[in-house]
């Protein structure tokens, strides 16, 4: 017990000063640190789960008037870095990076945001706008993609229902 | 270099920090204490020093969402800090209201009542982020003195 203090002292002597060199040098950032949010618009389906679970109300989805898609905003100045959006995102489109450097001048207060455009996909049958489903998500839902499934992937929910019914031999009347 | 410039270059080395808690949950205050007290982050390397009186302060760090009860008190303490002063909002609460935004007891943001210079968002921000904010505030303070 008495000797353990010498061990601590010896280790301290070996390691040198324990003061973090930042801001005069590089600092250590853990790989899993929860920092600024990033969005991958290609894998986002626009379901809005992230906005629902967001504690600080930092996430906003705004639908465009022309129906081409959604604008996805994350305002860093009210994000608590809780990571709930990342946890609940079904397609891993929203992610917390380990970038903690957030200090900025007050003029840039409303510029501290992530903004991405999440485009809607078009139905190959009726050309109606529908949420863009990434392939990884569809494969997860429907299993191994076959040729029939590949045609269904590009259809809106209504056309998909009709197509599946036809595959089972049902006759659909317009 | 004129006498005034030489005085300026010597005077900008030791700003004193003052901390106002405007209804904070104590998270940011703990991080501020961490940056100041423990040698790992050591804000005093930047020439800063925490002081106990607003009359000695140069850089003021404000935490908390400025609740209705504390608003007048914050303003009163802020008025006592001599010019030139630099205001740093630490944490998301003073910047936007944070998770308390929209609450009946958080009617305003900090920059509605006080001119804020630097924002350090986070809930709470890392000590390194606070150091970064203080370093930015130092640069602003040097231009004002």
């Amino acid at each position: 017990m008495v000797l353990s203090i010498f061990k601590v002292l010896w280790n301290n002597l070996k390691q040198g000063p324990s003061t973090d060199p930042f801001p005069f040098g590089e600092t250590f950032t853990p790989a899993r640190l929860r920092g600024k949010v990033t969005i991958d618009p290609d894998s986002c389906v626009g379901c809005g789960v992230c906005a629902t679970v967001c504690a600080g109300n930092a996430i906003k989805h705004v639908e465009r008037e022309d129906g081409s898609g959604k604008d996805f905003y994350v305002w860093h100045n009210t994000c608590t870095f809780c990571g709930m959006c990342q946890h609940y995102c079904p397609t891993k489109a929203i992610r917390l990076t380990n970038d903690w450097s957030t200090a900025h001048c007050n003029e840039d207060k409303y510029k501290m945001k992530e903004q991405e455009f999440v485009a809607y996909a078009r139905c190959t049958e009726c050309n109606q706008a529908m949420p863009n489903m990434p392939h990884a998500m569809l494969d997860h839902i429907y299993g191994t993609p076959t040729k029939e499934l590949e045609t269904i992937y590009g259809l809106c929910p209504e056309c998909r229902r009709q197509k599946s019914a036809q595959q089972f031999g049902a006759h659909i009347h317009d | 270099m004129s006498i005034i410039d030489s005085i300026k270059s010597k005077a900008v080395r030791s700003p004193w920090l003052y901390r106002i808690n405007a209804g904070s949950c104590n998270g940011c205050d703990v991080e501020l204490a961490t940056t100041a007290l423990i040698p790992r982050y050591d804000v005093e390397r930047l020439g800063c020093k925490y002081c106990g009186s607003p009359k000695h302060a140069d850089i003021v760090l404000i935490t908390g969402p400025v609740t209705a009860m504390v608003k007048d008190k914050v303003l009163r303490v802020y008025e006592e800090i001599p010019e030139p002063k630099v205001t740093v909002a630490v944490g998301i609460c003073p910047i936007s209201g944070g998770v308390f935004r929209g609450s009946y007891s958080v009617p305003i943001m900090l920059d509605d009542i006080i001119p804020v210079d630097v924002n350090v968002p986070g809930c709470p921000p890392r000590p390194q982020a606070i150091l970064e904010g203080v370093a930015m505030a130092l640069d602003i303070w040097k231009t004002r003195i």
Side-chain angles (χ1 to χ4, degrees), chain B residues 72-96:
Chain B
D72 292 337
K73 288 151 186 112
V74 168
L75 278 172
R76 215 163 67 208
V77 175
Y78 185 78
E79 292 295 311
E80 290 202 5
I81 300 167
E83 294 285 347
K85 54 195 166 191
V86 179
T87 316
V88 183
V90 179
I92 56 169
C93 293
I95 303 168
S96 66

Side-chain angles (χ1 to χ4, degrees), chain B residues 10-31:
Chain B
K10 285 183 176 61
V12 293
R13 293 193 185 154
S14 52
W16 282 21
L17 307 177
Y18 184 69
R19 192 174 59 73
I20 299 177
N21 182 330
S24 161
C25 70
N26 219 26
C28 297
D29 301 282
V30 169
E31 295 296 323

Side-chain angles (χ1 to χ4, degrees), chain A residues 18-24 27-28 30 33 55-57 75 77-81 100-106 109, chain B residues 39-42 45-46 92 95-96 98-99 101 109 111 116-123 126 128-129 131-133 136:
Chain A
S18 65
T19 307
D20 199 62
F22 191 82
F24 305 109
T27 184
F28 168 72
L33 181 95
N57 211 358
W75 190 26
N77 273 337
T78 184
C79 171
T80 57
F81 306 144
W100 48 264
S101 175
T102 48
H104 59 278
C105 289
N106 197 44
K109 183 178 169 180
Chain B
R40 187 165 175 81
Y41 304 110
D42 199 14
R45 280 176 302 155
L46 303 174
I92 56 169
I95 303 168
S96 66
V99 292
R101 192 165 79 245
M109 288 190 232
D111 60 353
V116 179
D117 299 298
V118 179
N119 288 327
V120 187
C123 187
R126 280 194 105 197
Q128 282 97 332
L131 277 174
E132 203 182 20
M136 280 177 79

